[in-house]
């Protein structure tokens, strides 16, 4: 009875408190036994909290309460871990103030005892209550602008006289909407002017007059709208016309007076936040006859003035990089037009000067040249676009960026040029001084099998060069050309296809009548129907510089599938690509030409000759490359110095005699080759 009377004296004196019940450990107060437990949870309704008040605690004491313990938690978070003995005063002052839930939350109490106790402990006792939570005392919950009223399970807001509660049920605001349509003169002020305007204001004033008039606004002195120290508008005044929104205006500097709206219909919108003691604004409005404003959006006009009256005309010229648009499309020619001021204050005709758009460059779906991050690119005037080559067998020529110019074209578009004259390092050792080439060692070498046996050299991904006498007077569709191989027996496989040929262009000065005594200008170009896919085994050879000069003693490499000197029958050819390093002979030695078909042969400045002891090009090598530096040097890039053209029968002199082959001097034809490629690209 004594304990119960003490409990009654400690009850909170709140009209909202309700005592709901007791809680105690098993066997209280006689003492709890080993291996006992209690799991208790209580949840509060919305707007209320549940709390626990312990009035007695006597448990076995242990480090970190690992033996016997009371654990109290809320939302899974431990708020109290208790063991040992606590007197009533300590429980009241240090423990019980922590044992409450959040509004609408739950409290959980867990008790457990271990396997034994050295002495008897009575356990614990307490009571739980549900109590209304006063939201009005909690600043994190109470968002009422003016007044907060607490009730059992919740709260509500109210406002001072002259304000109404906003839709959020918390904010007290002043809303006003005044339609002054038809008035040609009057005043508009913020509420309470010149006293401080109300917080949370949202006011809209509408002015409307005849179409042949415009509204003119005059701001009184004392303009004062709240502004941050950084100059940003906290509260703001906006002026909206049929064509634009002006503002926001704030601070102590009003818009210039008179403020010409150039409109017969105006809305003035003023909003404020929940703080500040600023005065606001006062506007006197009146009307005047319509005038037209200068046309200055992305353009300039002749005879620029502050305003124009009905009937006055100007010429509008779009700024650089802008064009004006008719309904049917963009006009060509100078981007300017004439326009006249109308009685309603509008210009007619009126066209918008819009920024030039170059559009996406037409690169083609399979183009090697591609844009960097196309999703981030802009195609408007002045924008820059970056490009790259998607294959390691190409290099970017020129700047990697292009700019959209005022004519709607991309300037300085880069090109992806083929990497030339640089064979990939081979994993198979080269046979130095030998004859047999490995795959990819001479990747520019092309093989012509029909109707004549010969060769050609790849100079880019769509062109090859050969000797004119190999392809002269032969229809392009009858020529079978292969690339990317060294063993000609593989062309019988189904997966090896000839390169489709679009056209053959023989040098116009070549004369090919038989019996031939002059192989001057023995050069021809082969254009493919489409670009070939470059790779390790198919790469172009570089063209030499014009007038580089072919020097006596210069070492080069000639390659082909022609007859070998060891053949007893010089009409036979090799199945596998052969190459040999040979030096260039002197002009004197080259001028001493052999005879073919019992005719003396001509030596011209468009030729050079080369050979050595048992080393030379031979029958079937015609059209193939003579490159420098020689392949065995391992130094690149390699250049196409000559094209196999003609020479004496290979078997003369045997395998050890001096050989001499004649080559078309490619440097003399580089300009012709480039001109043909340029013309074909533009056709």
């Amino acid at each position: 009875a004594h304990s119960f009377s003490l409990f009654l004296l400690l009850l909170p004196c709140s009209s909202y408190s309700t005592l709901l019940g007791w809680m105690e450990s098993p066997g209280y107060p006689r003492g709890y036994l080993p291996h006992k437990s209690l799991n208790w949870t209580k949840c509060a309704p919305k707007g209320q909290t549940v709390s626990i008040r312990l009035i007695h605690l006597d448990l076995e004491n242990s480090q970190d309460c690992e033996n016997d313990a009371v654990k109290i938690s809320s939302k899974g978070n431990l708020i109290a871990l208790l063991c040992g003995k606590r007197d009533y005063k300590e429980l009241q002052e240090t423990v019980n103030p922590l044992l409450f839930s959040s509004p609408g939350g739950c409290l959980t109490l867990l008790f457990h005892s271990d396997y034994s106790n050295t002495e008897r402990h009575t356990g614990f006792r307490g009571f739980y209550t549900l109590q209304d939570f006063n939201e009005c005392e909690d600043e994190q919950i109470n968002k009422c602008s003016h007044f907060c009223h607490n009730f059992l399970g919740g709260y509500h807001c109210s406002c001072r006289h002259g304000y109404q509660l906003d839709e959020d049920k918390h904010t007290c605001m002043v809303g006003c909407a005044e339609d002054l349509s038809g008035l040609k003169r009057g005043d508009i002020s913020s509420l309470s002017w010149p006293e401080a305007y109300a917080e949370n204001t949202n006011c809209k004033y509408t002015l409307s007059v005849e179409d042949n008039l415009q509204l003119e606004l005059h701001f009184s002195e004392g303009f004062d709208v709240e502004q941050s120290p950084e100059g940003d508008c906290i509260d703001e005044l906006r002026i909206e016309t049929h064509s634009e929104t002006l503002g926001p205006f704030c601070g102590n500097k009003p818009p210039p007076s008179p403020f010409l709206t150039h409109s017969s219909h105006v809305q003035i919108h003023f909003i404020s936040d929940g703080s500040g003691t600023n005065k606001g604004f006062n506007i006197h409005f009146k009307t005047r006859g319509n005038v037209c404003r200068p046309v200055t959006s992305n353009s300039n006009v002749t005879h620029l003035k502050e305003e124009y009256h009905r009937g006055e005309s100007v010429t509008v010229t779009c700024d650089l990089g802008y064009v004006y648009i008719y309904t049917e499309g963009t006009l060509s020619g100078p981007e300017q037009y004439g326009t006249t001021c109308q009685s309603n204050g509008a210009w007619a005709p009126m066209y918008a000067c819009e920024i030039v758009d170059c559009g996406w460059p037409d690169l083609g779906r399979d183009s090697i040249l591609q844009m960097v991050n196309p999703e981030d690119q802009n195609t408007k005037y002045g924008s820059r676009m970056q490009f790259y080559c998607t294959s390691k067998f190409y290099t970017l020529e020129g700047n990697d960026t292009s700019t959209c110019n005022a004519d709607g074209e991309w300037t300085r578009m880069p090109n992806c040029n083929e990497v030339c004259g640089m064979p990939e390092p081979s994993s198979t050792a080269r046979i130095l001084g030998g004859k047999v080439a490995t795959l990819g060692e001479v990747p520019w070498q092309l093989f012509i099998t029909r109707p004549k046996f010969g060769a050609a050299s790849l100079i880019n991904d769509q062109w090859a060069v050969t000797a004119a006498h190999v392809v002269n007077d032969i229809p392009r569709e009858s020529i079978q050309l292969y690339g990317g191989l060294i063993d000609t027996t593989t062309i019988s496989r189904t997966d090896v296809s000839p390169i489709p040929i679009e056209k053959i262009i023989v040098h116009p000065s070549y004369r090919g009548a038989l019996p031939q005594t002059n192989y001057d200008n023995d050069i021809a170009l082969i254009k493919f129907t489409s670009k070939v896919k470059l790779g390790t085994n198919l790469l172009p050879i570089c063209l030499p510089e014009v007038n580089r000069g072919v020097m006596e003693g210069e070492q080069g490499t000639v390659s082909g599938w022609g007859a070998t000197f060891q053949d007893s029958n010089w009409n036979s050819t090799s199945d596998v690509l052969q190459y040999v390093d040979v030096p260039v002979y002197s002009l004197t030695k080259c001028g001493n030409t052999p005879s073919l078909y019992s005719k003396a042969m001509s030596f011209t400045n468009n030729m050079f000759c080369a050979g050595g002891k048992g080393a030379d090009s031979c029958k079937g090598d015609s059209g193939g490359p003579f490159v420098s530096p020689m392949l065995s040097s391992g130094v690149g890039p390699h250049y196409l110095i000559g094209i196999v053209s003609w020479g004496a029968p290979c078997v003369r002199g045997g395998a050890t005699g001096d050989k001499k082959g004649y080559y078309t001097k490619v440097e003399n034809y580089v300009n012709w080759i480039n001109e043909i490629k340029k013309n074909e690209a533009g056709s």
Side-chain angles (χ1 to χ4, degrees), residues 94-141:
T94 63
V95 177
N96 289 337
L98 304 175
L99 308 183
F100 65 91
S101 72
S102 58
C106 302
L107 281 183
T108 297
L109 182 147
L110 300 176
F111 165 76
H112 72 86
S113 62
D114 65 357
Y115 62 92
S116 67
N117 288 317
T118 58
E119 59 181 85
R120 185 179 69 86
H121 295 278
T122 55
F124 71 89
R125 195 182 196 208
F127 61 90
Y128 62 90
T129 62
L130 287 181
Q131 184 174 348
D132 178 61
F133 178 74
N134 190 349
E135 291 88 352
C136 292
E137 295 180 354
D138 191 323
E139 294 182 356
Q140 293 184 344
I141 296 178

Side-chain angles (χ1 to χ4, degrees), residues 436-622:
V436 179
T438 59
L439 191 61
E441 196 171 16
V442 195
W444 46 80
Q445 182 93 35
L446 304 180
F447 176 54
I448 299 175
T449 180
R450 293 179 184 174
K452 292 183 178 180
F453 194 91
S457 298
L458 190 71
I459 57 173
N460 68 18
D461 56 12
Q462 201 168 2
W463 289 88
V465 64
T466 186
H469 76 268
V470 175
V471 293
N472 190 41
D473 295 330
I474 299 175
R476 61 171 178 79
E477 58 271 13
S478 64
I479 297 175
Q480 289 196 359
L481 178 71
Y482 296 87
L485 53 81
I486 57 170
D487 187 350
T488 61
T489 62
T490 62
I491 65 175
S492 60
R493 298 203 317 251
T494 56
D495 61 335
V496 178
S497 301
I499 301 173
I501 296 175
E502 180 180 319
K503 63 175 58 178
I504 304 292
I505 303 174
V506 175
H507 194 278
S509 299
Y510 173 72
R511 300 291 179 264
L514 291 175
Q516 213 161 340
T517 60
N518 190 338
Y519 281 85
D520 198 21
N521 304 303
D522 189 15
I523 187 171
L525 289 171
I526 302 173
K527 183 182 181 183
F528 310 146
T529 303
S530 59
K531 293 182 178 182
V532 296
K533 184 177 181 180
L534 301 183
T536 303
N537 302 326
L538 189 62
L539 287 173
I541 185 69
C542 302
L543 291 176
E545 293 183 5
V546 177
N547 300 323
R548 76 177 284 277
V550 180
M551 297 173 290
E552 179 183 353
E554 180 178 356
Q555 292 281 345
T557 300
V558 61
S559 53
W561 287 274
T564 59
F565 297 121
Q566 286 77 16
D567 294 330
S568 58
N569 179 4
W570 71 274
N571 283 311
S572 65
T573 57
S574 172
D575 290 335
V576 181
L577 181 64
Q578 308 284 315
Y579 74 91
V580 65
D581 298 333
V582 293
V584 174
Y585 286 143
S586 66
L587 292 177
T588 301
K589 191 167 185 176
C590 291
N592 183 18
T593 60
S595 297
L596 294 180
Y597 313 107
S598 302
K599 301 286 186 179
M601 302 298 293
S602 299
F603 176 71
T604 72
N605 185 49
N606 294 321
M607 309 173 188
F608 68 90
C609 70
K613 293 284 186 181
D616 187 17
S617 56
C618 198
K619 182 177 178 63
D621 292 328
S622 292

Side-chain angles (χ1 to χ4, degrees), residues 385-397:
M385 189 169 291
Q386 190 176 12
F387 298 87
Y388 72 104
C389 298
T390 60
S391 170
K392 69 176 183 178
F393 301 109
Y394 292 79
T395 57
L396 203 65
E397 178 190 30

Side-chain angles (χ1 to χ4, degrees), residues 118 186 211 259-260 318 401 408 461 490 554 632 650:
T118 58
D211 287 345
F259 188 89
L260 302 181
C318 292
T401 58
D461 56 12
T490 62
E554 180 178 356
S632 61
C650 303

Side-chain angles (χ1 to χ4, degrees), residues 364-436:
R365 186 179 63 180
D366 299 324
S367 174
I368 299 298
L369 181 68
Q370 292 295 327
M371 294 171 281
V372 176
N373 299 327
E375 64 278 0
D376 298 332
Q377 301 286 5
N378 186 1
T379 62
K380 302 294 180 64
Y381 167 68
S383 61
R384 296 165 63 85
M385 189 169 291
Q386 190 176 12
F387 298 87
Y388 72 104
C389 298
T390 60
S391 170
K392 69 176 183 178
F393 301 109
Y394 292 79
T395 57
L396 203 65
E397 178 190 30
N399 199 310
D400 65 348
T401 58
S402 182
T403 304
C404 177
N405 65 19
D407 296 326
E409 302 290 338
W410 290 102
T411 61
R412 301 189 303 275
M413 281 287 290
N415 293 316
C416 285
N417 288 342
E418 302 86 345
V419 175
C420 67
M422 296 293 291
E424 290 280 289
S426 176
S427 59
T428 304
R430 182 177 289 116
I431 307 173
L432 297 178
K435 300 286 186 181
V436 179

